[in-house]
Every structure is written in C-alpha cells, then in structure tokens.
Amino acid sequence: MIVGIDLAGSEKRDTGFCVITDKLAKVQILNTNEQIIEKITELADLIRIVCIDAPLTLPSGRISLEENNGIHFRQCDLELRKLGIRFFPITLGPMRMLTKRGMFLKEEILKINPKIKVIEVYPGASYDIFKVNRKDEKQIIKWIKSFVEIKDLAYTQDELDGICCAITGKLYLEGKARGIGNDDGKIIIPII
C-alpha cells in the first residue's frame, strides 16, 4: 500500500490523502494532524511508503525555522532550481508552517511503525517532468489514469495532488524515480 499526502500548511485547510492498493487509487480530504495520524495508524501494517508533499528537513546549518541565519535552501531545493522547477523556499512565510507540520508528521508516522518509509515528494516537480500543466484538471486526470485507476468523479486540486504524491511513490518503488539532494534532505522525483 502506498500513501500520498498533499499536506496543507494549516489544519484548517484541506489535505489530499490518497491510498494506492494494486492499481486502484482512493482519495479523501482530511484536515487535522489527528485525522492523518488516525488514518496512518489504521493502515500501518499495510503501508510500505508514505509520500508527503511538504519539506521534511531543514537546510544544513539551519537550527530552526524561527531563527533566521540566512540559510534558506537545502541541496535538493537548489537542484530543483537547476532543473527549472518552480517552488517556494521552505523558510518563506506560510512554507514555515508546512515545513513544521511535515517534519512533525514524519516523526509521528515513524513512531507508529518505524518500518514505513517516509519520503518527501513534490507534485509540481512530477507534473513538470511529465510536461503536465499543474492546474489543468483534465490533463492531470489523463496523466493519473496512465498509472492508476480512479473513479470518474470531480476532484479538487488537493485530491489530485494527493494522488500525484502516491504515484510518485509508486514510481519510486518501481525504480522509476530518484532522490535529489543530500544529507540535509531528498526530494523524490520521477525519471523519464
């Protein structure tokens, strides 16, 4: 089982939570850390990998998000930039909340079951690599259906991005994705 989480920075906003079993992707909206942890706990024995769209580490040399020492980028962020993939620095305003939340959830997931692999993914990178418009729902759904089965429903961007996170994890498990970065963090991106 593969879990993809398009994590919102705030628990008041929607988080897309996707589970892929075999070739079927099921997605739902969750909000709170408690809901996410409850769902992971419920599925813990079946999960191989959790793929989170949120920074899961701080840049090397950065002690905290609150203390600005001028270090804003991890090696993986710099590599994304070299690839021409747009992103927000993890120390930028709202991204701080997302980074804190991502790091917290990774810790909690590993407490639930240390055998679960927790990776950082970025749907924007996956879409860009496959030349899919990040905001074109029809293109995204067509791309998703080339990897997994989904029900013909109306999906929110959070749900689509949650599915994308899980697909990136699926590609990783199949040896079709790689980690960019170094010891201060890796982002898993598809290889095409």
Side-chain angles (χ1 to χ4, degrees), residues 133-144:
N133 182 321
R134 295 182 187 196
K135 298 297 177 190
D136 186 324
E137 184 183 333
K138 286 181 182 171
Q139 261 190 39
I140 293 171
I141 288 173
K142 184 179 177 186
W143 177 78
I144 286 170

Side-chain angles (χ1 to χ4, degrees), residues 66-79:
E66 292 75 25
E67 199 174 305
N68 184 353
N69 63 357
I71 300 170
H72 302 286
F73 298 102
R74 302 169 296 166
Q75 182 61 36
C76 55
D77 301 323
L78 298 173
E79 290 181 38

Side-chain angles (χ1 to χ4, degrees), residues 34-192:
E34 188 178 319
Q35 290 171 330
I36 294 167
I37 291 164
E38 189 178 296
K39 202 73 180 155
I40 296 285
T41 303
E42 182 185 309
L43 305 169
D45 293 339
L46 303 171
I47 298 172
R48 279 185 71 191
I49 190 167
V50 175
C51 317
I52 303 176
D53 173 22
L56 303 180
T57 58
L58 294 176
S60 186
R62 183 88 183 216
I63 296 162
S64 75
L65 287 165
E66 292 75 25
E67 199 174 305
N68 184 353
N69 63 357
I71 300 170
H72 302 286
F73 298 102
R74 302 169 296 166
Q75 182 61 36
C76 55
D77 301 323
L78 298 173
E79 290 181 38
L80 274 183
R81 185 189 283 164
K82 281 183 194 169
L83 292 170
I85 296 171
R86 293 176 291 121
F87 66 95
F88 293 110
I90 69 172
T91 56
L92 183 75
M95 286 296 292
R96 276 186 248 170
M97 280 176 44
L98 179 62
T99 301
K100 272 187 192 171
R101 192 171 184 206
M103 290 169 59
F104 169 78
L105 284 172
K106 178 182 178 180
E107 257 182 55
E108 293 301 306
I109 291 165
L110 293 175
K111 284 180 196 170
I112 294 164
N113 182 348
K115 292 181 181 172
I116 295 174
K117 185 158 185 70
V118 180
I119 63 171
E120 180 178 335
V121 297
Y122 177 37
S126 295
Y127 296 144
D128 288 0
I129 288 166
F130 279 95
K131 308 230 182 307
V132 173
N133 182 321
R134 295 182 187 196
K135 298 297 177 190
D136 186 324
E137 184 183 333
K138 286 181 182 171
Q139 261 190 39
I140 293 171
I141 288 173
K142 184 179 177 186
W143 177 78
I144 286 170
K145 286 182 174 181
S146 71
F147 293 100
V148 294
E149 295 170 26
I150 57 171
K151 293 183 177 177
D152 288 326
L153 302 169
Y155 292 97
T156 66
Q157 188 70 45
D158 300 310
E159 290 170 321
L160 294 174
D161 289 351
I163 299 169
C164 180
C165 291
I167 288 171
T168 305
K170 180 180 185 315
L171 293 172
Y172 178 74
L173 292 176
E174 294 169 353
K176 298 174 184 169
R178 65 185 176 100
I180 58 169
N182 60 17
D183 293 344
D184 72 353
K186 290 189 186 286
I187 298 174
I188 306 301
I189 63 170
I191 303 166
I192 58 167

